[in-house]
Amino acid sequence: MRFTTLAKRAAALAVGTALFASLAACSGMDSNNSAAPVNEDCEQTDKVTVVLQWVTQAQFAGYFAAQDQGFYADQCLDVTVQEGGTNVVPQQVLASGNAQFAVSHVTKSMASRQEGADVVNIGQVFQRGAYLQVAWADSGIESLEDLKGTTMGSWGGGNDLTLFSALRASGVEPTTDLNIVQQPFDMAMLLNREADSVQAKTYNEFAQLLETANPATGELYQPEDFSVLNLQDLGFQSLEDGIYARGEWLAEDGNEDIATRFLAASYEGWIYCRDNADACVDLVVSKGSALGKSHQAWMMNEVNALIWPSPEGIGHLDAAEWDKTIEIAMAGEVLNSAPDADAYRTDLSEAALEILNDKGLDVTGENWKPARVGLNEGGK
């Protein structure tokens, strides 16, 4: 056998030499593969890289946990977890052959596929979306239509695609009806009233607002201080973080097996972070996250809410939700046409779930409940 898929972790896991991969096409990215366990029961260990959408934070805690807890080693994998950043487009790194796996959104990835990138969704980790557009409560902005004629902050880089689709569906043309300004990856533009509204995610930037002190009172801002447009609640649900591989790579002998094991171990990492949220917060903080512990605790809780429950099992891609995401993107003119039938596949994820079911793991999280998380000023 090439690997021991269902074997229990070796009684003694040796501590391997740290592996730091440098991607030629993506200078400036950091690797978080230090002290990854190895499994001496494996006849062969396959080395692969997964590139993340952004820097180290709880949004990606499951991958770090899979590495730290030895779940990748259990599946005879030596995985480099590669950070993303402002100049990193994960699906392009993947398409160039500089990684075997990438974490990305459906709309972004399918826009890249439309341009020729051979990227295939093999596991849909996030079952729900997290896009918000946030304004001050006193702004008079209570709907997407109210954004017409305003100054709007937007991240760009593909993060604006779902928002633009939602605006166009609401009768607002983003290229002419708005003054769009480049938004940094913080909330300063809104806090300084340099824009009428800004983009945010439920698990990150919205927390940045709530961990900021109101200079008029000295107390932290509260949700009622803001007008929050949740794109998902408004009918613009768009599938976000999923796992992608190259179709050509998958077609090579043995790589479907590697992908199945990678999915199984990654899913087990997310199961661990569902059941051990505090430990995963400590893990990402120890990995060098620039954001503090209370912020990461908020993020971990909100990210778990995007994954759990997963009634059909973690990683399941619902065809109806896929179609809805694509339809929104097409209506918003960010995709010219629907991607072909090879743009996603579910068989590898189903095989990964079989591995986890055989280990007796809860793959649905049916009983998971969100926690109450308190924020400290500055996210500390």
Side-chain angles (χ1 to χ4, degrees), residues 183-243:
Q183 176 186 332
F185 287 92
D186 59 36
M187 292 289 99
M189 189 169 281
L190 182 67
L191 290 168
N192 296 333
R193 295 187 181 261
E194 296 168 353
D196 299 303
S197 72
V198 294
Q199 287 192 281
K201 289 296 188 77
T202 58
Y203 53 79
N204 193 354
E205 291 78 17
F206 190 60
Q208 291 180 32
L209 292 174
L210 302 182
E211 61 198 24
T212 300
N214 182 341
T217 65
E219 301 295 326
L220 296 183
Y221 283 114
Q222 299 300 308
E224 55 267 26
D225 292 317
F226 303 98
S227 175
V228 180
L229 305 180
N230 186 310
L231 299 192
Q232 294 66 229
D233 292 347
L234 294 174
F236 301 100
Q237 167 79 340
S238 185
L239 292 173
E240 297 184 18
D241 289 21
I243 299 173

Side-chain angles (χ1 to χ4, degrees), residues 12-61:
L13 288 177
V15 177
T17 303
L19 175 64
F20 291 94
S22 175
L23 299 186
C26 302
S27 60
M29 291 194 298
D30 294 323
S31 169
N32 277 287
N33 201 47
S34 57
V38 295
N39 186 346
E40 294 180 343
D41 284 354
C42 299
E43 294 181 11
Q44 175 179 319
T45 296
D46 296 295
K47 294 185 177 183
V48 295
T49 294
V50 56
V51 58
L52 308 178
Q53 290 194 92
W54 195 237
V55 297
T56 299
Q57 57 186 27
Q59 179 184 358
F60 311 110

Side-chain angles (χ1 to χ4, degrees), residues 290-302:
L291 299 169
K293 187 168 181 177
S294 74
H295 185 97
Q296 294 298 342
W298 173 286
M299 186 182 294
M300 189 74 259
N301 192 49
E302 292 293 327

Side-chain angles (χ1 to χ4, degrees), residues 52-87:
L52 308 178
Q53 290 194 92
W54 195 237
V55 297
T56 299
Q57 57 186 27
Q59 179 184 358
F60 311 110
Y63 307 103
F64 293 117
Q67 183 187 65
D68 186 72
Q69 294 295 310
F71 303 146
Y72 287 134
D74 286 350
Q75 298 299 332
C76 298
L77 296 172
D78 181 355
V79 178
T80 296
V81 181
Q82 199 80 28
E83 284 189 311
T86 54
N87 298 317

